[in-house]
């Protein structure tokens, strides 16, 4: 009899202990409500975005007149589609079951205020609407995330690059693109490309220093009108004089306006390109300009060679 009472008491104490433990565990985790938004906000109300990471990268974007800009020394057009896509994805995230809530877990999953992989701040005017810390990745297309005002750490279906703070992924890479049909003439130092009456391209060469058929000429124009950029630099080429190694040419448009281009060597097989309708200079991969620059340089060398020959022939004639 006494043994049965002892067993019953032990079972009762075990049950009470389990209830207390479960209540304590549930109190630490935030309630899970299916189909509840992870970060409730309206994307159309957001006009400011800040992205930063643990490596010191920090990007700020501002929306003006329906277009997104990178806030730099000047306003640089950003990739509208990518920013709007990010806002839509964040707004569509659902609140999942918290995997942890403690401060030590926030550090471990790299979603604390002092230790995070990426931080995203969404703004409306001067107000911060949403702040999210993104951390480690537990699996494919998954990231640990935590709202700034919550201790709950959840897993959201995003990839790391979607919230990355590297500059190259967020600027408008098509900012230098032009409609080839708007171009009428391009004047280089030793030759020019002119649109003929039929819409094709002819070549006018000083001293016959370049040989291009109409198809090749048209290909050069198309390449210049179809450049993509992968970064920008502070414009340091203002002024009348041309620095060493800079190539300059002028593009005339059908509306009577003109664009002055300046190209100089950059870092890591890239070129720095400045165009007179832009306030900053852009980085362009070398392979995009390779054929154009070869034609320009080849023509210049031939032109210089012809000048030397003419000078030499003139001195010979004078001596005789």
């Amino acid at each position: 009899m006494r043994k049965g009472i002892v067993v019953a008491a032990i079972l009762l104490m075990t049950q009470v202990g389990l209830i207390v433990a479960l209540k304590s565990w549930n109190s630490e985790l935030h309630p899970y409500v299916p189909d509840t938004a992870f970060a409730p906000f309206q994307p159309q109300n957001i006009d400011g975005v800040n992205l930063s990471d643990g490596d010191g990268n920090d990007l700020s974007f501002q929306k003006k007149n329906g277009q997104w800009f990178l806030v730099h020394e000047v306003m640089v057009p950003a990739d509208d589609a990518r920013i709007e896509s990010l806002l839509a994805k964040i707004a569509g995230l659902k609140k999942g079951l918290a995997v942890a809530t403690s401060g030590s877990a926030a550090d471990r999953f790299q979603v604390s205020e002092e230790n995070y992989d990426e931080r995203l701040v969404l703004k409306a005017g001067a107000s911060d609407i949403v702040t999210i810390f993104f951390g480690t990745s537990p699996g494919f297309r998954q990231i640990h995330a935590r709202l700034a005002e919550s201790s709950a750490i959840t897993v959201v279906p995003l990839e790391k690059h979607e919230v990355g703070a590297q500059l190259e992924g967020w600027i408008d890479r098509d900012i230098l693109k032009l409609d080839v049909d708007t171009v009428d003439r391009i004047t280089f130092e030793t030759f020019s490309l002119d649109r003929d009456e039929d819409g094709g391209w002819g070549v006018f060469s000083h001293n016959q220093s370049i040989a291009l058929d109409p198809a090749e000429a048209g290909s050069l124009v198309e390449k210049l009108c179809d450049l993509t950029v992968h970064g920008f630099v502070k414009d340091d080429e203002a002024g009348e004089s041309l620095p060493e190694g800079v190539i300059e040419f002028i593009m005339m448009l059908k509306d009577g306006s003109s664009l002055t281009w300046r190209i100089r060597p950059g870092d890591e097989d890239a070129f720095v390109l400045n165009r007179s309708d832009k306030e900053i200079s852009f980085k362009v991969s070398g392979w995009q300009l390779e054929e154009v620059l070869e034609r320009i340089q080849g023509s210049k060398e031939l032109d210089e060679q012809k000048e030397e020959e003419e000078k030499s022939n003139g001195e010979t004639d004078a001596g005789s």
Side-chain angles (χ1 to χ4, degrees):
M1 181 69 176
R2 181 177 295 175
K3 183 177 181 180
I5 294 174
V6 171
V7 171
I10 292 174
L11 288 174
L12 179 61
M13 291 176 64
T14 302
Q15 288 176 331
V16 170
L18 285 173
I19 292 172
V20 171
L22 285 172
K23 284 186 176 180
S24 175
W25 182 72
N26 284 332
S27 67
E28 290 181 354
L29 297 182
H30 290 230
Y32 168 61
V33 182
D35 294 328
T36 300
F38 171 70
F41 71 96
Q42 297 298 319
Q44 64 270 22
N45 296 334
I46 301 300
D47 58 13
V49 174
N50 176 264
L51 275 168
S52 58
D53 63 24
D55 295 326
N57 296 309
D58 196 321
L59 304 176
S60 291
F61 303 92
Q62 188 174 342
K63 193 173 189 179
K64 284 192 172 184
N65 299 321
Q67 183 178 357
W68 284 98
F69 292 88
L70 172 67
V71 181
H72 195 62
E73 294 177 352
V74 295
M75 301 291 276
V76 182
D79 188 336
D80 284 327
R82 181 171 180 184
I83 295 177
E84 294 295 345
S85 175
L86 175 64
L87 293 177
K89 286 181 180 179
I90 298 298
L93 293 177
K94 302 302 180 184
K95 182 182 292 185
L97 184 65
V99 297
T101 59
S102 67
S104 60
D107 282 330
R108 185 169 68 255
F109 293 125
Q110 297 180 15
V111 291
S112 68
E113 291 192 18
E114 295 77 22
N115 179 29
Y116 58 84
D117 277 1
E118 288 87 18
R119 182 185 64 185
L120 172 67
V121 181
L122 305 182
K123 300 172 176 286
S127 302
D128 292 353
I129 304 302
V130 174
T131 298
I132 307 173
F133 296 100
F134 296 101
T136 54
S137 174
F140 178 65
R141 284 192 56 80
Q142 292 182 328
I143 311 177
H144 287 115
R146 181 182 69 83
L147 289 170
E149 68 271 17
S150 172
S151 61
I153 302 167
T154 61
V155 176
V156 295
L158 290 173
E159 293 190 42
K160 298 284 283 184
H161 72 85
E162 292 180 289
V163 290
Q166 289 73 38
L167 171 67
E168 289 78 4
W170 295 99
I171 61 173
D172 180 4
R173 301 190 66 189
D174 295 335
I175 190 172
L176 292 179
K177 287 186 183 294
L178 293 168
D179 182 354
V180 69
D181 291 332
T182 65
V183 181
D184 196 51
R185 177 188 176 98
I186 304 178
T187 302
F188 300 95
E189 183 178 352
T190 58
F191 69 97
S192 63
L193 305 177
D194 299 83
R195 188 181 292 277
D196 59 30
E197 295 179 355
D198 299 324
W201 290 94
V203 182
F204 175 77
S205 175
H206 309 163
N207 299 325
Q208 292 76 49
S209 58
I210 188 170
L212 277 177
D213 61 35
E216 290 176 314
S219 175
L220 289 185
V221 178
E222 289 175 358
K223 282 181 169 61
L224 288 173
C225 290
D226 196 40
L227 298 174
T228 57
V229 306
H230 66 265
F232 64 89
V233 296
K234 182 179 179 181
D235 185 10
D236 56 358
E237 292 184 10
E240 295 289 333
S241 60
L242 280 179
E244 185 72 23
V246 174
I247 294 173
E248 183 179 84
F249 56 90
I250 298 174
M251 177 181 285
M252 298 296 300
L253 304 181
K254 287 184 176 180
D255 63 5
S257 63
S258 64
L259 300 173
T260 299
W261 300 56
R262 286 183 174 184
I263 302 173
R264 63 177 171 84
D267 299 327
E268 300 178 356
D269 193 33
F271 290 92
V272 175
L273 191 156
N274 174 269
R275 204 171 69 194
S276 57
D277 61 330
K278 306 300 179 187
E279 296 183 83
I280 57 175
S281 299
F282 295 90
K283 295 179 182 179
V284 178
S285 299
W287 63 268
Q288 296 187 82
L289 290 167
E290 189 175 50
E291 182 181 352
V292 176
L293 296 181
E294 283 179 357
R295 291 292 188 180
I296 295 173
Q297 188 61 33
S299 173
K300 185 176 180 180
E301 290 173 356
L302 285 172
D303 193 65
E304 291 172 350
Q305 181 180 336
K306 286 181 178 293
E307 286 182 0
E308 286 294 325
E309 291 175 354
E310 291 174 358
K311 182 180 178 180
S312 176
N313 291 335
E315 292 174 351
T316 301
D317 292 341
S320 61

